[in-house]
Amino acid sequence: MPNDVVINWSQPVDIDGAHYPKDTLNRAKYAQYLSNFLASKGYDESRDGEDKKRNYVLNLNSEWGSGKTYFLKRWAEDLKAHHPVVYVDAWQQDYSDDPLMTVISSMVSQLREQYCDQCNW
């Protein structure tokens, strides 16, 4: 993840047909921090062999109505300009008895869409 990702939520935006107002609670600074933090946890040229590849899992946990969807949708939209991003909403996409199939289906469809957008198909 490049360190030049700039998070600016000073303007409202529509994402997937939903309206997200400007960031009046100054949450963009947290997205900026997490973007930089995750960039520092990524691929590391200074390491040897398989140690170059590094993974990191981030969990966002908060009460219902605290703005998790707002935060993740806006952040994902900004990151899409630099990286492939998959957003899985377990509440809206719970159409299968197998949760793994929901995740895989979301990954395939969203990555295909992002790839095709880059190729201008």
Side-chain angles (χ1 to χ4, degrees):
M1 183 178 295
N3 290 330
D4 60 351
V5 174
V6 176
I7 307 295
N8 181 356
W9 297 347
S10 62
Q11 298 297 316
V13 66
D14 290 328
I15 303 170
D16 297 330
H19 181 73
Y20 294 88
K22 69 179 186 174
D23 180 21
T24 58
L25 299 177
N26 201 20
R27 293 172 276 203
K29 68 180 179 184
Y30 299 110
Q32 186 70 62
Y33 172 81
L34 288 172
S35 297
N36 294 336
F37 175 76
L38 291 173
S40 73
K41 298 295 181 188
Y43 192 83
D44 188 350
E45 285 285 342
S46 67
R47 294 175 175 256
D48 294 326
E50 288 295 313
D51 286 339
K52 287 183 181 184
K53 300 175 187 175
R54 299 177 70 193
N55 297 307
Y56 196 85
V57 175
L58 178 71
N59 177 41
L60 179 64
N61 189 18
S62 186
E63 295 179 10
W64 185 87
S66 62
K68 295 180 300 292
T69 299
Y70 176 94
F71 181 84
L72 290 174
K73 283 285 197 171
R74 296 256 358 211
W75 189 28
E77 194 66 18
D78 285 343
L79 292 178
K80 281 181 185 178
H82 305 278
H83 305 283
V85 175
V86 176
Y87 181 87
V88 179
D89 185 333
W91 295 106
Q92 289 186 343
Q93 296 170 303
D94 187 19
Y95 52 82
S96 172
D97 290 335
D98 185 356
L100 181 59
M101 291 308 295
T102 300
V103 171
I104 291 172
S105 173
S106 295
M107 290 175 67
V108 168
S109 64
Q110 291 178 44
L111 293 174
R112 180 182 294 137
E113 181 181 315
Q114 290 171 45
Y115 177 75
C116 291
D117 286 348
Q118 290 177 353
C119 295
N120 296 321
W121 288 0

